[in-house]
Amino acid sequence: MPSYLRTSTVIVSLPLALLSLPLQATSYFSQVASTPPLGVSPLHHQLLQLAPSATPEALRLAAQSLSCADPSAERLAVIDYSLPSTEPRMWVFDLHQHRLLFEELVSHGQGSGDKLAEVFSNTPESYQSSIGLFRTMNSYYGRNGYSLRLEGLEPEVNDLAFERAIVIHGADYVSEEFILQTGRLGRSHGCPAVREEVTYPLIDSLKEDQYVFAYYPDEEWLATSQFLRCPGVNDTHVAQR
């Protein structure tokens, strides 16, 4: 082959080789990003990737609780009551599809605080929010419209949620407009209320045997929660129904 033809072949093929480098690099960095750092569980790493604006400690404890209760769960909502009600503090994850479905405002109970929630209860008529791990039940239409029943899984922490009618529902006092008028969201009787615009899709994404984890740095709960002290977080232990 004449030398000028060999040169042309090299010149033509070189850009094709270079074009493949970004794809290989992208694949490599994607693999690196999907690998949890040392000491970080795969589920915690997944939540951090999907909701980088969330409080890392809330996500860590949510991952720990869910890994204890139901490692194969499909959907999880995390509520961070340590944040003010004026900030998005509810995240809904599709764990099987690796997607963040919602990042939303959510209310707390009248008895829990004003702009900030500071006290929590499992007591009927306290109008306070409850923390800990919940399993979702059925959706229904009630006095607050389309709603989602919650089963509290933690004794003396949230296990009276069904009796107290603590449900997810939409409310007109959960909106940016309400925040502009009052400096905070409106408050419920203890329910995690969401924007009316997202009520149907959010509830439908969580109903029937999915999970909600409500976080607050309550020292007693952190020290005693059975889901935060699961004997072997990788066990296939499932909370009793």
Side-chain angles (χ1 to χ4, degrees):
M1 179 185 295
S3 59
Y4 69 87
L5 288 179
R6 288 199 299 271
T7 303
S8 298
T9 301
V10 172
I11 292 173
V12 170
S13 63
L14 185 59
L16 296 176
L18 289 175
L19 283 174
S20 67
L21 288 176
L23 296 176
Q24 294 170 357
T26 300
S27 176
Y28 170 76
F29 287 116
S30 296
Q31 291 176 4
V32 170
S34 65
T35 304
L38 186 64
V40 176
S41 73
L43 178 54
H44 181 200
H45 185 60
Q46 181 182 17
L47 300 182
L48 287 169
Q49 285 186 311
L50 293 174
S53 63
T55 306
E57 182 67 0
L59 297 183
R60 183 184 74 82
L61 295 176
Q64 191 170 335
S65 291
L66 188 62
S67 295
C68 181
D70 188 352
S72 63
E74 180 182 0
R75 301 278 173 84
L76 170 68
V78 177
I79 299 172
D80 183 0
Y81 283 128
S82 71
L83 298 175
S85 65
T86 52
E87 296 181 19
R89 54 179 182 172
M90 180 180 191
W91 297 266
V92 180
F93 302 92
D94 185 324
L95 303 174
H96 288 191
Q97 297 296 322
H98 193 72
R99 294 171 56 206
L100 177 64
L101 301 179
F102 298 93
E103 181 174 6
E104 285 293 327
L105 298 167
V106 63
S107 72
H108 55 254
Q110 296 173 9
S112 286
D114 194 27
K115 180 178 178 179
L116 287 166
E118 298 177 306
V119 290
F120 301 87
S121 175
N122 194 36
T123 305
E125 307 304 323
S126 66
Y127 293 168
Q128 293 180 12
S129 297
S130 295
I131 55 178
L133 187 65
F134 303 79
R135 184 187 287 115
T136 65
M137 301 173 71
N138 61 296
S139 59
Y140 70 100
Y141 289 92
R143 64 179 183 178
N144 291 306
Y146 195 50
S147 305
L148 177 63
R149 291 188 172 98
L150 299 175
E151 175 191 9
L153 300 178
E154 305 208 34
E156 300 182 7
V157 175
N158 63 18
D159 62 341
L160 296 182
F162 181 81
E163 177 184 330
R164 295 177 60 203
I166 300 300
V167 302
I168 296 177
H169 63 81
D172 59 5
Y173 54 75
V174 181
S175 68
E176 294 289 349
E177 291 76 13
F178 197 97
I179 292 172
L180 289 174
Q181 292 173 7
T182 65
R184 60 166 171 80
L185 285 187
R187 297 164 299 165
S188 66
H189 286 178
C191 296
V194 298
R195 292 187 302 126
E196 291 180 316
E197 295 86 343
V198 300
T199 303
Y200 279 85
L202 188 147
I203 286 177
D204 286 344
S205 75
L206 283 173
K207 66 183 180 181
E208 298 171 359
D209 293 328
Q210 306 304 329
Y211 292 86
V212 176
F213 180 80
Y215 166 77
Y216 186 80
D218 179 88
E219 292 184 5
E220 183 177 356
W221 168 66
L222 292 174
T224 59
S225 172
Q226 61 179 322
F227 296 107
L228 299 179
R229 344 218 82 50
C230 194
V233 75
N234 294 321
D235 291 350
T236 55
H237 166 76
V238 178
Q240 296 297 313
R241 295 179 184 273

